[in-house]
Amino acid sequence: MTEELFREDATLRECSARVVALAEGGVILDRTVFYPLGGGQAGDSGWLQFADGRRIAITDARKSKESKEHPGAVLHLLAPDADLSLLLPGTPVTAQIDWARRHRHMRFHTTTHLLCALVPHPVDGCSITADYARLDFHMVEPLDKEALTGGIARLVAEAHPVRHRWISEAELDANPGLVRSMSVQPPRGLGRVRVLEIDGVDLQPCGGTHVANTAEIGAIVVTKIEKKSAMTRRVVLGFAA
Ligand SMILES: [Zn+2]
């Protein structure tokens, strides 16, 4: 299993690591700062740098689905023309993420938590990319674009600290209201669940990457509200021009 350094510190831009294996079109490392696609958040891209200065591009990251040998491993996906001869098991590398792209994911992702506080309805879909984010709410009432943009701006200006902690599965079972998302259930079977807390605003299980304070989100606006179905209202977020 890959040691997932981003779970404890989302601000890490690079780490030293060793190649474990090649599998499923990607490379498995013993530890990584690459967030793998999950919970609606896009996977990281970036580079592996070698001691001699050469670099290999990583196009995306995701959790291995097939690997029985390396269960739970993070796959760092390679371009089709990548030089696999550089990636022998045991080779030391520096794993570097495209930080500008990841920081956009973090700003959007943290904003989706603010939306959860502003819209008190269950979430039934989520997608976070570097250019936009969308969050689907299970509800019939209309939503107001300007009011939500204003609500986000207020919570950003109030500069609420953002932090994560781990709780036991028993504690989660005792507080079912913590699970806001209907489509994404927190991973079970590990004995503990990661919860994300925005001081005085939102608390829910989440394994994604977030900024450390809502002030770091900056200027984000609701660009669109769509009625996706009789029971679904979609809120689309974008960076302010
Ligand atoms: Zn989150």
Side-chain angles (χ1 to χ4, degrees):
M1 183 143 167
T2 315
E3 188 186 348
E4 300 180 336
L5 301 174
F6 54 84
R7 302 264 187 225
E8 291 302 328
D9 185 356
T11 67
L12 292 174
R13 303 176 187 206
E14 63 174 50
C15 72
S16 57
R18 282 183 189 275
V19 174
V20 172
L22 292 171
E24 300 165 63
V27 55
I28 297 171
L29 305 174
D30 60 347
R31 59 210 295 266
T32 192
V33 290
F34 281 72
Y35 179 83
L37 169 74
Q41 184 178 329
D44 284 326
S45 56
W47 306 269
L48 301 184
Q49 173 129 15
F50 299 87
D52 64 5
R54 280 189 285 184
R55 291 209 303 185
I56 281 186
I58 300 300
T59 58
D60 198 356
R62 62 197 52 200
K63 281 273 191 177
S64 164
K65 286 198 174 67
E66 297 164 22
S67 179
K68 293 188 177 68
E69 218 179 322
H70 309 284
V74 175
L75 284 175
H76 303 76
L77 299 185
L78 299 161
D81 61 350
D83 182 356
L84 302 184
S85 70
L86 294 172
L87 295 164
L88 297 173
T91 303
V93 297
T94 301
Q96 305 169 324
I97 56 170
D98 179 340
W99 173 252
R101 180 170 173 273
R102 154 71 89 72
H103 193 242
R104 291 164 77 94
H105 296 168
M106 288 162 58
R107 291 168 63 199
F108 272 142
H109 188 136
T110 310
T111 309
T112 64
H113 285 265
L114 301 184
L115 273 181
C116 285
L118 296 168
V119 182
H121 292 278
V123 172
D124 65 3
C126 174
S127 178
I128 294 155
T129 75
D131 300 315
Y132 69 90
R134 58 177 171 76
L135 201 57
D136 294 342
F137 290 97
H138 186 74
M139 62 188 291
V140 294
E141 299 83 349
L143 287 170
D144 185 83
K145 197 166 90 168
E146 312 308 328
L148 284 181
T149 293
I152 291 167
R154 174 177 58 81
L155 293 168
V156 169
E158 286 171 0
H160 297 271
V162 179
R163 63 179 81 87
H164 75 272
R165 57 193 165 88
W166 297 86
I167 64 171
S168 68
E169 290 185 357
E171 200 179 331
L172 180 67
D173 292 336
N175 298 280
L178 278 179
V179 182
R180 289 295 311 269
S181 175
M182 299 164 71
S183 62
V184 184
Q185 288 291 322
R188 294 303 194 105
L190 302 169
R192 61 178 196 161
V193 173
R194 189 178 189 266
V195 292
L196 197 281
E197 179 167 34
I198 302 180
D199 224 20
V201 179
D202 183 58
L203 174 68
Q204 61 177 300
C206 187
T209 60
H210 311 84
V211 296
N213 187 292
T214 60
E216 197 183 331
I217 290 172
I220 282 181
V221 296
V222 174
T223 58
K224 207 172 2 174
I225 288 172
E226 296 175 89
K227 184 177 174 180
K228 292 304 287 182
S229 74
M231 289 299 293
T232 304
R233 298 293 176 277
R234 169 169 291 178
V235 180
V236 184
L237 300 169
F239 292 111

